[in-house]
Amino acid sequence: GHIVHNWKVRWFVLLQDKLLYYKLEGGKKEPSPKGRILLDGCTITCPCLEYENRPLLIKLKTKTNTDYFLECCSREERDSWALDITGAIHAGHPVQVQELHRMKNSFKLLANISLHHIVDKMHDNSSGIKLTPNMEQGNRYKETFTGSAVVDWLISNSFAVSRFEAVTLASMLMEENFIRPVGARSIEATRYSDLSEQFLDDSTALYMFAESYKKKISSKEDLQFNISELSGTIVKQGYLVKQGHKRKNWKVRRFVLRADPAFLHYYDPTKEENRPVGGFSLRGCLVSALEDNGVPTGVKGNVQGNLFKIITKNDIHYYIQASCKAERVQWIEAIKPLT
């Protein structure tokens, strides 16, 4: 409410240019709307974390600077309403609406992402993630947060733009031992080797900060790279997901494609130094797309699709995921002329 800031149940109807809300009497909505929110010039915030004990909020600010706080019954319902309201706000711009739907299942992580920076922000006393005690199966955990709370926090702090992207980022935090699962629900999920299934966007899955979160992660191998192979012209770069050679798990890596000489290097975004963790010459390599129906031989875990494979002249197989088919085509077309 605007005058008395209490919370009331209202029946909402989304039209092309406005959001109507009705009072409910006896379980039925009244014939005339109680009020309306004009969507022209509106800005939407979702998730809105202004109320600590209300994680399911959407905030609408009209062009006259009136704030509306709307609480949903579940995260799925909240995100569905937010997407549809955003679509109505941008109804005159179909390209923007199409881009919104595409972002629901894509990852486009920040170009200069630093997991140390994200975790430091998560620890901030005023704007960081809220730690709460939780009980699960008779065990008491002092300072925990849920998987859904992490996803909401990453989106609200602009580290991710979609829940899929936030889950990918949270999986990186867990993979690099910044956060760890506690309790049966989240620990059970770690038995999957696929990056997309290890971290749960779930309000019953518990996590906490790992004790070693501030330790600088040192490289397991001191890989030596010839200066000449890093001197080529950068043809293309971006984030892709790569399957590891030993554990067969999936990790987000920043790939850099260079020509003259032709090399493909990949970098660990959790490392602050700008140094590749792997790379290979493209001379004599074979690159090809893999079918999206089923899991190809040599690939572990339930992958999202958009896979391609690079086989080096030494018969080393690299399995890589792009965020969409178009991105996969772009990478293949950029690599092929350099092989």
Side-chain angles (χ1 to χ4, degrees), residues 237-324:
Q237 59 181 317
Y239 285 97
L240 298 166
V241 182
K242 172 186 164 293
Q243 180 177 268
H245 289 295
K246 294 178 181 178
R247 289 181 58 194
K248 305 296 182 186
N249 55 347
W250 293 90
K251 293 185 178 181
V252 175
R253 293 290 181 250
R254 180 171 65 88
F255 280 79
V256 177
L257 177 63
R258 293 181 172 91
D260 301 319
F263 275 84
L264 184 63
H265 293 100
Y266 48 94
Y267 298 73
D268 185 344
T270 69
K271 303 290 191 294
E272 294 185 349
E273 66 271 17
N274 189 30
R275 177 185 178 82
V277 294
F280 51 91
S281 170
L282 291 172
R283 295 299 177 197
C285 284
L286 296 173
V287 58
S288 60
L290 297 176
E291 295 297 329
D292 287 340
N293 51 344
V295 179
T297 304
V299 174
K300 301 292 183 182
N302 298 321
V303 298
Q304 295 289 324
N306 307 313
L307 279 169
F308 64 98
K309 178 171 70 171
I310 302 174
I311 306 174
T312 69
K313 64 180 180 182
N314 297 325
D315 200 33
I316 299 174
H317 294 224
Y318 290 86
Y319 295 97
I320 301 168
Q321 289 186 66
S323 63
C324 62

Coordinates of all heavy atoms in Angstrom, one line a residue, residues 237-324:
Q237 N 37.4 -13.6 -29.3 CA 37.5 -14.0 -27.9 C 36.1 -14.0 -27.3 O 35.2 -13.3 -27.7 CB 38.5 -13.1 -27.2 CG 38.1 -11.6 -27.1 CD 39.2 -10.8 -26.3 OE1 39.7 -11.3 -25.3 NE2 39.6 -9.7 -26.9
G238 N 36.0 -14.8 -26.2 CA 34.7 -14.8 -25.5 C 34.6 -16.0 -24.6 O 35.6 -16.8 -24.5
Y239 N 33.6 -16.1 -23.8 CA 33.4 -17.1 -22.8 C 32.7 -18.4 -23.4 O 31.7 -18.3 -24.1 CB 32.6 -16.7 -21.6 CG 33.4 -15.7 -20.7 CD1 33.3 -14.4 -20.8 CD2 34.3 -16.2 -19.7 CE1 34.0 -13.5 -20.0 CE2 35.0 -15.4 -18.9 CZ 34.8 -14.0 -19.0 OH 35.6 -13.2 -18.2
L240 N 33.3 -19.5 -23.2 CA 32.8 -20.8 -23.5 C 32.9 -21.8 -22.4 O 33.7 -21.5 -21.4 CB 33.5 -21.4 -24.8 CG 33.4 -20.5 -26.1 CD1 34.5 -21.0 -27.1 CD2 32.0 -20.6 -26.7
V241 N 32.2 -22.9 -22.4 CA 32.4 -23.9 -21.4 C 33.1 -25.1 -21.9 O 32.8 -25.6 -23.0 CB 31.0 -24.3 -20.8 CG1 31.1 -25.3 -19.7 CG2 30.2 -23.1 -20.4
K242 N 34.2 -25.5 -21.2 CA 35.1 -26.5 -21.7 C 35.1 -27.7 -20.8 O 35.1 -27.6 -19.5 CB 36.5 -26.0 -21.8 CG 37.6 -27.0 -22.1 CD 39.0 -26.3 -22.1 CE 40.1 -27.3 -22.0 NZ 40.0 -28.1 -20.8
Q243 N 35.1 -28.9 -21.3 CA 35.2 -30.1 -20.5 C 36.6 -30.4 -20.2 O 37.5 -30.3 -21.0 CB 34.6 -31.3 -21.2 CG 34.7 -32.6 -20.4 CD 34.1 -33.8 -21.1 OE1 32.9 -34.1 -20.9 NE2 34.9 -34.5 -21.9
G244 N 36.9 -30.7 -18.9 CA 38.3 -31.0 -18.4 C 38.7 -32.3 -18.9 O 37.9 -33.2 -19.3
H245 N 40.1 -32.5 -19.0 CA 40.6 -33.7 -19.5 C 40.7 -34.8 -18.5 O 40.6 -36.0 -18.8 CB 42.0 -33.4 -20.1 CG 42.1 -32.6 -21.3 ND1 41.5 -33.1 -22.5 CD2 42.5 -31.4 -21.6 CE1 41.7 -32.2 -23.5 NE2 42.2 -31.1 -22.9
K246 N 40.8 -34.5 -17.2 CA 41.0 -35.5 -16.2 C 39.7 -35.8 -15.5 O 39.2 -36.9 -15.6 CB 42.0 -35.0 -15.2 CG 43.4 -35.0 -15.7 CD 44.4 -34.5 -14.7 CE 45.8 -34.3 -15.3 NZ 46.8 -33.8 -14.3
R247 N 39.1 -34.8 -14.9 CA 37.8 -35.0 -14.1 C 36.6 -35.0 -15.0 O 35.5 -35.4 -14.6 CB 37.7 -33.9 -13.0 CG 38.7 -34.1 -11.9 CD 38.4 -33.0 -10.9 NE 37.0 -33.0 -10.3 CZ 36.5 -32.0 -9.7 NH1 37.2 -30.9 -9.4 NH2 35.3 -32.2 -9.2
K248 N 36.7 -34.6 -16.2 CA 35.6 -34.5 -17.2 C 34.4 -33.6 -16.7 O 33.3 -33.8 -17.0 CB 35.0 -35.9 -17.4 CG 36.0 -36.9 -17.9 CD 36.6 -36.5 -19.3 CE 37.6 -37.6 -19.8 NZ 38.3 -37.1 -21.0
N249 N 34.8 -32.6 -15.8 CA 33.8 -31.7 -15.4 C 33.8 -30.4 -16.3 O 34.8 -30.3 -17.1 CB 34.0 -31.3 -13.9 CG 35.3 -30.7 -13.7 OD1 36.2 -30.9 -14.5 ND2 35.5 -30.1 -12.5
W250 N 32.8 -29.6 -16.3 CA 32.7 -28.5 -17.2 C 33.0 -27.2 -16.5 O 32.6 -26.9 -15.4 CB 31.3 -28.4 -17.8 CG 31.0 -29.6 -18.6 CD1 30.4 -30.8 -18.3 CD2 31.2 -29.7 -20.0 NE1 30.3 -31.6 -19.3 CE2 30.8 -30.9 -20.5 CE3 31.7 -28.8 -21.0 CZ2 30.9 -31.4 -21.8 CZ3 31.8 -29.2 -22.3 CH2 31.4 -30.5 -22.7
K251 N 33.9 -26.4 -17.1 CA 34.3 -25.1 -16.5 C 34.2 -24.0 -17.5 O 34.5 -24.2 -18.7 CB 35.7 -25.2 -15.9 CG 35.9 -26.1 -14.7 CD 37.3 -26.0 -14.2 CE 37.5 -26.9 -13.0 NZ 38.8 -26.9 -12.5
V252 N 33.8 -22.8 -17.0 CA 33.7 -21.6 -17.9 C 35.2 -21.1 -18.1 O 35.9 -21.0 -17.1 CB 32.9 -20.5 -17.3 CG1 33.0 -19.2 -18.1 CG2 31.4 -21.0 -17.1
R253 N 35.5 -20.9 -19.3 CA 36.8 -20.4 -19.7 C 36.7 -19.3 -20.7 O 35.8 -19.2 -21.5 CB 37.7 -21.5 -20.3 CG 38.1 -22.6 -19.3 CD 39.0 -22.1 -18.3 NE 39.5 -23.1 -17.3 CZ 39.1 -23.2 -16.1 NH1 38.3 -22.2 -15.6 NH2 39.5 -24.1 -15.2
R254 N 37.6 -18.3 -20.6 CA 37.7 -17.2 -21.6 C 38.6 -17.7 -22.7 O 39.8 -17.9 -22.5 CB 38.1 -15.9 -21.0 CG 38.2 -14.8 -22.0 CD 38.5 -13.4 -21.3 NE 39.8 -13.4 -20.7 CZ 40.9 -13.0 -21.3 NH1 40.9 -12.7 -22.6 NH2 42.0 -13.0 -20.6
F255 N 38.1 -17.9 -23.9 CA 38.9 -18.3 -25.1 C 39.4 -17.1 -25.9 O 38.6 -16.2 -26.1 CB 38.1 -19.3 -25.9 CG 38.0 -20.7 -25.4 CD1 37.2 -21.0 -24.4 CD2 38.9 -21.7 -25.9 CE1 37.1 -22.3 -23.8 CE2 38.8 -23.0 -25.4 CZ 37.9 -23.3 -24.4
V256 N 40.6 -17.2 -26.3 CA 41.2 -16.2 -27.2 C 41.8 -16.9 -28.4 O 42.7 -17.7 -28.3 CB 42.3 -15.4 -26.5 CG1 42.9 -14.4 -27.5 CG2 41.7 -14.7 -25.3
L257 N 41.3 -16.5 -29.6 CA 41.7 -17.1 -30.9 C 42.7 -16.1 -31.5 O 42.3 -14.9 -31.8 CB 40.5 -17.4 -31.8 CG 40.7 -17.9 -33.2 CD1 41.4 -19.3 -33.1 CD2 39.4 -18.0 -34.0
R258 N 43.9 -16.6 -31.8 CA 44.9 -15.7 -32.5 C 45.3 -16.3 -33.8 O 45.3 -17.5 -34.0 CB 46.1 -15.6 -31.6 CG 45.9 -14.8 -30.2 CD 47.1 -14.7 -29.4 NE 47.0 -13.9 -28.2 CZ 46.6 -14.3 -27.1 NH1 46.3 -15.6 -26.9 NH2 46.5 -13.4 -26.1
A259 N 45.7 -15.4 -34.7 CA 46.2 -15.7 -36.0 C 47.7 -15.2 -36.2 O 48.0 -14.2 -35.6 CB 45.4 -15.2 -37.1
D260 N 48.5 -15.9 -37.0 CA 49.9 -15.5 -37.3 C 50.7 -15.3 -36.0 O 51.1 -14.2 -35.7 CB 49.9 -14.2 -38.1 CG 49.1 -14.4 -39.4 OD1 49.3 -15.4 -40.0 OD2 48.4 -13.4 -39.8
P261 N 51.0 -16.4 -35.3 CA 50.7 -17.7 -35.5 C 49.3 -18.1 -35.0 O 48.8 -17.4 -34.1 CB 51.7 -18.5 -34.7 CG 52.1 -17.6 -33.6 CD 52.0 -16.2 -34.2
A262 N 48.7 -19.2 -35.5 CA 47.3 -19.6 -35.2 C 47.3 -20.4 -33.9 O 47.8 -21.6 -34.0 CB 46.7 -20.3 -36.4
F263 N 46.8 -19.9 -32.9 CA 46.7 -20.6 -31.6 C 45.3 -20.3 -31.0 O 44.7 -19.2 -31.2 CB 47.8 -20.1 -30.6 CG 49.1 -20.9 -30.8 CD1 50.0 -20.5 -31.8 CD2 49.4 -22.0 -30.0 CE1 51.2 -21.1 -31.9 CE2 50.6 -22.6 -30.2 CZ 51.5 -22.2 -31.1
L264 N 44.8 -21.3 -30.2 CA 43.6 -21.1 -29.4 C 44.1 -21.2 -27.9 O 44.5 -22.3 -27.5 CB 42.5 -22.1 -29.7 CG 41.2 -21.9 -29.0 CD1 40.6 -20.5 -29.3 CD2 40.2 -23.0 -29.4
H265 N 44.0 -20.2 -27.1 CA 44.3 -20.2 -25.7 C 43.0 -20.1 -24.9 O 42.1 -19.4 -25.3 CB 45.3 -19.2 -25.3 CG 46.7 -19.3 -25.9 ND1 47.1 -18.7 -27.0 CD2 47.7 -20.1 -25.6 CE1 48.3 -19.0 -27.4 NE2 48.7 -19.9 -26.5
Y266 N 43.0 -20.6 -23.7 CA 41.9 -20.4 -22.8 C 42.4 -20.0 -21.4 O 43.5 -20.4 -20.9 CB 41.0 -21.6 -22.7 CG 41.7 -23.0 -22.5 CD1 41.8 -23.5 -21.2 CD2 42.1 -23.7 -23.6 CE1 42.4 -24.7 -21.0 CE2 42.7 -24.9 -23.4 CZ 42.9 -25.4 -22.1 OH 43.5 -26.7 -21.9
Y267 N 41.7 -19.1 -20.7 CA 42.0 -18.5 -19.5 C 41.0 -18.8 -18.4 O 39.8 -19.0 -18.7 CB 42.1 -17.0 -19.7 CG 43.1 -16.5 -20.7 CD1 42.9 -16.6 -22.0 CD2 44.3 -15.8 -20.2 CE1 43.9 -16.2 -22.9 CE2 45.3 -15.4 -21.1 CZ 45.0 -15.5 -22.5 OH 46.0 -15.1 -23.4
D268 N 41.5 -18.9 -17.2 CA 40.6 -19.1 -16.0 C 40.1 -17.8 -15.5 O 41.0 -17.0 -15.0 CB 41.4 -19.9 -14.9 CG 40.5 -20.3 -13.8 OD1 39.4 -19.7 -13.6 OD2 40.9 -21.1 -13.0
P269 N 38.8 -17.5 -15.6 CA 38.4 -16.2 -15.1 C 38.5 -15.9 -13.6 O 38.3 -14.8 -13.2 CB 36.9 -16.1 -15.6 CG 36.5 -17.6 -15.7 CD 37.8 -18.3 -16.1
T270 N 38.8 -17.0 -12.9 CA 38.9 -16.8 -11.4 C 40.3 -16.4 -11.1 O 40.6 -15.9 -10.0 CB 38.7 -18.2 -10.7 OG1 39.8 -19.1 -11.0 CG2 37.4 -18.8 -11.0
K271 N 41.3 -16.4 -12.0 CA 42.6 -16.0 -11.8 C 42.8 -14.5 -12.1 O 42.3 -14.1 -13.2 CB 43.6 -16.8 -12.7 CG 43.6 -18.3 -12.4 CD 44.1 -18.7 -11.1 CE 44.3 -20.2 -11.0 NZ 43.0 -21.0 -11.0
E272 N 43.4 -13.8 -11.3 CA 43.5 -12.3 -11.5 C 44.6 -12.0 -12.5 O 44.6 -11.0 -13.2 CB 43.8 -11.6 -10.2 CG 42.6 -11.7 -9.3 CD 42.8 -10.9 -8.0 OE1 44.0 -10.5 -7.7 OE2 41.8 -10.7 -7.2
E273 N 45.6 -12.9 -12.7 CA 46.7 -12.6 -13.6 C 46.2 -13.0 -15.0 O 45.4 -14.0 -15.2 CB 48.0 -13.4 -13.3 CG 47.8 -14.9 -13.4 CD 47.4 -15.6 -12.1 OE1 46.9 -14.9 -11.3 OE2 47.5 -16.8 -12.0
N274 N 46.6 -12.2 -16.0 CA 46.1 -12.5 -17.4 C 47.1 -13.5 -18.1 O 47.9 -13.1 -18.9 CB 46.1 -11.1 -18.2 CG 45.5 -11.3 -19.5 OD1 44.5 -12.1 -19.7 ND2 45.9 -10.5 -20.5
R275 N 46.9 -14.7 -17.7 CA 47.8 -15.8 -18.1 C 47.0 -17.0 -18.5 O 46.2 -17.5 -17.8 CB 48.8 -16.1 -17.0 CG 49.8 -17.3 -17.3 CD 50.6 -17.5 -16.0 NE 51.5 -18.7 -16.2 CZ 52.7 -18.6 -16.8 NH1 53.1 -17.4 -17.2 NH2 53.4 -19.6 -16.9
P276 N 47.2 -17.6 -19.7 CA 46.4 -18.7 -20.1 C 46.7 -19.9 -19.2 O 47.8 -20.1 -18.7 CB 46.9 -19.0 -21.6 CG 48.0 -18.1 -21.9 CD 48.2 -17.2 -20.7
V277 N 45.7 -20.8 -19.0 CA 45.9 -22.0 -18.3 C 46.0 -23.2 -19.3 O 46.2 -24.3 -18.9 CB 44.7 -22.3 -17.3 CG1 44.7 -21.3 -16.2 CG2 43.3 -22.3 -18.1
G278 N 45.8 -22.9 -20.6 CA 46.0 -24.0 -21.6 C 45.9 -23.3 -23.0 O 45.5 -22.2 -23.1
G279 N 46.3 -24.1 -24.0 CA 46.3 -23.6 -25.3 C 47.0 -24.6 -26.3 O 47.7 -25.5 -25.8
F280 N 46.7 -24.4 -27.6 CA 47.3 -25.3 -28.5 C 47.4 -24.7 -29.9 O 46.6 -23.7 -30.2 CB 46.5 -26.6 -28.6 CG 45.0 -26.5 -28.8 CD1 44.5 -26.4 -30.0 CD2 44.2 -26.4 -27.7 CE1 43.1 -26.3 -30.2 CE2 42.8 -26.2 -27.8 CZ 42.3 -26.2 -29.1
S281 N 48.3 -25.2 -30.7 CA 48.4 -24.7 -32.1 C 47.2 -25.2 -32.9 O 46.8 -26.4 -32.7 CB 49.7 -25.2 -32.7 OG 49.7 -24.9 -34.1
L282 N 46.7 -24.4 -33.8 CA 45.5 -24.9 -34.6 C 46.0 -25.5 -35.9 O 45.1 -26.1 -36.6 CB 44.6 -23.7 -34.9 CG 43.9 -23.1 -33.7 CD1 43.2 -21.8 -34.1 CD2 42.9 -24.1 -33.2
R283 N 47.3 -25.5 -36.2 CA 47.7 -26.2 -37.5 C 47.4 -27.7 -37.4 O 47.8 -28.4 -36.5 CB 49.2 -25.9 -37.7 CG 49.6 -24.5 -37.9 CD 48.9 -23.9 -39.1 NE 49.2 -22.5 -39.3 CZ 48.5 -21.7 -40.1 NH1 47.5 -22.1 -40.7 NH2 48.8 -20.4 -40.2
G284 N 46.7 -28.1 -38.5 CA 46.4 -29.5 -38.6 C 45.3 -30.0 -37.7 O 45.0 -31.2 -37.6
C285 N 44.6 -29.0 -37.1 CA 43.4 -29.4 -36.2 C 42.2 -29.6 -37.1 O 42.0 -29.2 -38.2 CB 43.1 -28.3 -35.2 SG 44.2 -28.2 -33.8
L286 N 41.2 -30.4 -36.5 CA 39.9 -30.6 -37.1 C 38.9 -30.0 -36.1 O 39.0 -30.3 -34.9 CB 39.6 -32.1 -37.3 CG 40.5 -32.9 -38.3 CD1 40.2 -34.4 -38.2 CD2 40.3 -32.3 -39.7
V287 N 37.9 -29.3 -36.6 CA 36.9 -28.7 -35.8 C 35.5 -29.0 -36.4 O 35.3 -28.9 -37.6 CB 37.1 -27.1 -35.6 CG1 37.1 -26.4 -37.0 CG2 36.0 -26.6 -34.7
S288 N 34.6 -29.4 -35.6 CA 33.3 -29.8 -36.1 C 32.2 -29.6 -35.0 O 32.5 -29.8 -33.8 CB 33.3 -31.3 -36.6 OG 33.6 -32.1 -35.5
A289 N 31.0 -29.4 -35.4 CA 29.8 -29.3 -34.5 C 29.4 -30.7 -34.2 O 29.5 -31.6 -34.9 CB 28.7 -28.5 -35.2
L290 N 28.8 -30.9 -33.0 CA 28.3 -32.1 -32.5 C 26.8 -32.0 -32.4 O 26.3 -31.0 -32.1 CB 28.9 -32.5 -31.1 CG 30.4 -32.7 -31.1 CD1 30.9 -33.0 -29.7 CD2 30.8 -33.9 -32.0
E291 N 26.1 -33.1 -32.7 CA 24.7 -33.1 -32.7 C 24.1 -32.8 -31.3 O 24.7 -33.3 -30.3 CB 24.1 -34.5 -33.2 CG 24.5 -34.7 -34.7 CD 23.8 -33.7 -35.6 OE1 22.7 -33.3 -35.3 OE2 24.4 -33.4 -36.7
D292 N 23.0 -32.1 -31.3 CA 22.4 -31.8 -30.0 C 21.5 -32.9 -29.4 O 21.0 -32.8 -28.3 CB 21.6 -30.5 -30.1 CG 22.5 -29.3 -30.2 OD1 23.7 -29.4 -29.8 OD2 22.1 -28.2 -30.6
N293 N 21.2 -33.9 -30.2 CA 20.3 -35.0 -29.7 C 21.2 -36.1 -29.1 O 21.9 -36.8 -29.8 CB 19.4 -35.6 -30.8 CG 20.2 -35.9 -32.1 OD1 21.4 -35.5 -32.2 ND2 19.6 -36.7 -32.9
G294 N 21.1 -36.2 -27.8 CA 21.9 -37.2 -27.1 C 23.3 -36.7 -26.7 O 23.7 -35.6 -27.1
V295 N 24.0 -37.5 -25.9 CA 25.4 -37.1 -25.4 C 26.4 -37.9 -26.2 O 26.4 -39.1 -26.2 CB 25.5 -37.4 -23.9 CG1 26.9 -37.0 -23.4 CG2 24.5 -36.7 -23.1
P296 N 27.3 -37.2 -27.0 CA 28.2 -37.9 -27.8 C 29.3 -38.6 -27.0 O 29.5 -38.4 -25.8 CB 28.9 -36.7 -28.6 CG 28.1 -35.5 -28.4 CD 27.3 -35.7 -27.1
T297 N 29.9 -39.6 -27.6 CA 30.9 -40.4 -27.0 C 32.1 -39.5 -26.6 O 32.5 -38.6 -27.3 CB 31.4 -41.5 -28.0 OG1 30.3 -42.3 -28.4 CG2 32.5 -42.4 -27.3
G298 N 32.5 -39.7 -25.4 CA 33.6 -38.8 -24.9 C 33.2 -37.7 -24.1 O 34.0 -37.0 -23.4
V299 N 31.9 -37.4 -24.0 CA 31.3 -36.3 -23.3 C 30.6 -36.8 -22.1 O 29.8 -37.7 -22.1 CB 30.3 -35.5 -24.2 CG1 29.7 -34.4 -23.3 CG2 31.1 -34.8 -25.3
K300 N 30.9 -36.2 -20.9 CA 30.3 -36.6 -19.6 C 29.3 -35.6 -19.2 O 29.5 -34.4 -19.4 CB 31.4 -36.8 -18.6 CG 32.5 -37.9 -18.9 CD 31.9 -39.3 -19.0 CE 33.0 -40.3 -19.2 NZ 32.5 -41.7 -19.3
G301 N 28.3 -36.0 -18.4 CA 27.3 -35.1 -17.8 C 26.2 -34.8 -18.8 O 26.2 -35.0 -20.0
N302 N 25.2 -34.1 -18.2 CA 24.0 -33.7 -19.0 C 24.3 -32.3 -19.6 O 24.1 -31.3 -18.9 CB 22.7 -33.7 -18.2 CG 22.4 -35.1 -17.7 OD1 22.6 -36.0 -18.4 ND2 22.0 -35.2 -16.4
V303 N 24.8 -32.2 -20.8 CA 25.2 -30.9 -21.3 C 24.0 -30.2 -21.9 O 23.0 -30.8 -22.2 CB 26.2 -31.1 -22.5 CG1 27.5 -31.8 -21.9 CG2 25.7 -32.0 -23.6
Q304 N 24.2 -28.9 -22.0 CA 23.1 -28.0 -22.5 C 22.9 -28.1 -24.0 O 21.9 -27.7 -24.5 CB 23.4 -26.5 -22.1 CG 23.4 -26.3 -20.6 CD 22.1 -26.3 -20.0 OE1 21.1 -25.9 -20.6 NE2 22.0 -26.9 -18.8
G305 N 23.9 -28.6 -24.7 CA 23.8 -28.6 -26.2 C 24.8 -27.6 -26.7 O 25.7 -27.0 -26.0
N306 N 24.7 -27.3 -28.1 CA 25.6 -26.4 -28.8 C 27.1 -26.7 -28.6 O 27.9 -25.9 -28.4 CB 25.3 -24.9 -28.2 CG 23.8 -24.6 -28.3 OD1 23.2 -24.8 -29.3 ND2 23.3 -24.0 -27.2
L307 N 27.3 -28.0 -28.7 CA 28.7 -28.5 -28.5 C 29.5 -28.5 -29.8 O 28.9 -28.6 -30.9 CB 28.7 -30.0 -28.1 CG 28.4 -30.3 -26.6 CD1 28.2 -31.8 -26.4 CD2 29.6 -29.9 -25.8
F308 N 30.8 -28.3 -29.7 CA 31.7 -28.6 -30.8 C 33.0 -29.2 -30.3 O 33.3 -29.1 -29.1 CB 31.9 -27.3 -31.7 CG 32.6 -26.2 -31.1 CD1 34.0 -26.0 -31.2 CD2 31.9 -25.2 -30.3 CE1 34.6 -24.9 -30.6 CE2 32.6 -24.2 -29.7 CZ 33.9 -24.0 -29.9
K309 N 33.7 -29.8 -31.2 CA 34.9 -30.6 -30.9 C 36.0 -30.1 -31.7 O 35.9 -29.8 -32.9 CB 34.6 -32.1 -31.1 CG 35.8 -32.9 -30.8 CD 35.5 -34.4 -30.8 CE 35.2 -34.9 -32.2 NZ 35.0 -36.4 -32.2
I310 N 37.2 -30.0 -31.1 CA 38.5 -29.7 -31.8 C 39.4 -30.9 -31.5 O 39.6 -31.3 -30.4 CB 39.1 -28.4 -31.3 CG1 38.1 -27.2 -31.5 CG2 40.4 -28.1 -32.0 CD1 38.6 -25.9 -30.9
I311 N 39.9 -31.5 -32.6 CA 40.9 -32.5 -32.5 C 42.3 -32.0 -33.0 O 42.4 -31.6 -34.1 CB 40.5 -33.8 -33.3 CG1 39.1 -34.3 -32.9 CG2 41.5 -34.9 -33.1 CD1 38.6 -35.4 -33.7
T312 N 43.3 -32.0 -32.1 CA 44.6 -31.5 -32.5 C 45.3 -32.5 -33.3 O 44.9 -33.7 -33.4 CB 45.4 -31.1 -31.3 OG1 45.8 -32.3 -30.6 CG2 44.7 -30.2 -30.3
K313 N 46.4 -32.1 -34.0 CA 47.2 -33.0 -34.8 C 47.9 -34.1 -33.9 O 48.3 -35.2 -34.5 CB 48.3 -32.3 -35.6 CG 49.3 -31.6 -34.8 CD 50.3 -30.9 -35.7 CE 51.4 -30.1 -34.8 NZ 52.3 -29.4 -35.7
N314 N 47.9 -33.9 -32.6 CA 48.4 -34.9 -31.7 C 47.3 -35.8 -31.1 O 47.5 -36.5 -30.2 CB 49.2 -34.3 -30.5 CG 50.4 -33.5 -31.0 OD1 51.1 -33.9 -31.9 ND2 50.7 -32.4 -30.3
D315 N 46.1 -35.7 -31.7 CA 44.9 -36.5 -31.4 C 44.4 -36.2 -30.0 O 43.9 -37.1 -29.3 CB 45.2 -38.0 -31.6 CG 43.9 -38.8 -31.7 OD1 42.9 -38.2 -32.3 OD2 43.9 -39.9 -31.2
I316 N 44.5 -35.0 -29.5 CA 43.9 -34.6 -28.3 C 42.5 -34.0 -28.6 O 42.4 -33.1 -29.5 CB 44.8 -33.5 -27.5 CG1 46.1 -34.1 -27.2 CG2 44.1 -33.1 -26.2 CD1 47.1 -33.2 -26.6
H317 N 41.5 -34.4 -27.9 CA 40.1 -34.0 -28.1 C 39.7 -33.0 -27.1 O 39.8 -33.2 -25.9 CB 39.2 -35.2 -28.1 CG 39.4 -36.2 -29.2 ND1 38.4 -36.8 -29.9 CD2 40.6 -36.7 -29.7 CE1 38.9 -37.7 -30.8 NE2 40.3 -37.6 -30.7
Y318 N 39.2 -31.8 -27.6 CA 38.6 -30.8 -26.8 C 37.2 -30.7 -27.1 O 36.7 -30.5 -28.2 CB 39.3 -29.4 -27.1 CG 40.8 -29.3 -26.6 CD1 41.8 -29.8 -27.4 CD2 41.1 -28.8 -25.4 CE1 43.1 -29.7 -27.0 CE2 42.4 -28.7 -24.9 CZ 43.4 -29.2 -25.8 OH 44.7 -29.1 -25.4
Y319 N 36.3 -30.8 -26.0 CA 34.9 -30.6 -26.1 C 34.5 -29.3 -25.5 O 34.8 -29.0 -24.3 CB 34.2 -31.8 -25.4 CG 34.4 -33.1 -26.1 CD1 35.4 -34.0 -25.6 CD2 33.7 -33.5 -27.2 CE1 35.7 -35.2 -26.2 CE2 34.0 -34.8 -27.8 CZ 34.9 -35.6 -27.3 OH 35.2 -36.8 -27.9
I320 N 33.8 -28.5 -26.3 CA 33.5 -27.1 -25.9 C 32.0 -26.8 -26.1 O 31.4 -27.3 -27.1 CB 34.3 -26.1 -26.7 CG1 35.8 -26.4 -26.4 CG2 34.0 -24.7 -26.3 CD1 36.8 -25.7 -27.4
Q321 N 31.4 -26.1 -25.2 CA 30.0 -25.7 -25.3 C 29.9 -24.2 -25.6 O 30.5 -23.4 -24.9 CB 29.2 -26.0 -24.1 CG 28.9 -27.4 -23.8 CD 28.0 -27.5 -22.5 OE1 26.8 -27.1 -22.6 NE2 28.5 -28.1 -21.5
A322 N 29.1 -23.8 -26.6 CA 28.7 -22.4 -26.8 C 27.4 -22.1 -26.1 O 26.7 -23.1 -25.7 CB 28.7 -22.1 -28.3
S323 N 27.0 -20.9 -26.0 CA 25.7 -20.5 -25.3 C 24.5 -20.7 -26.2 O 23.4 -20.8 -25.8 CB 25.8 -19.1 -24.8 OG 26.0 -18.2 -25.8
C324 N 24.8 -20.7 -27.6 CA 23.7 -20.9 -28.5 C 24.3 -21.4 -29.8 O 25.5 -21.4 -30.0 CB 22.9 -19.6 -28.7 SG 23.9 -18.2 -29.4

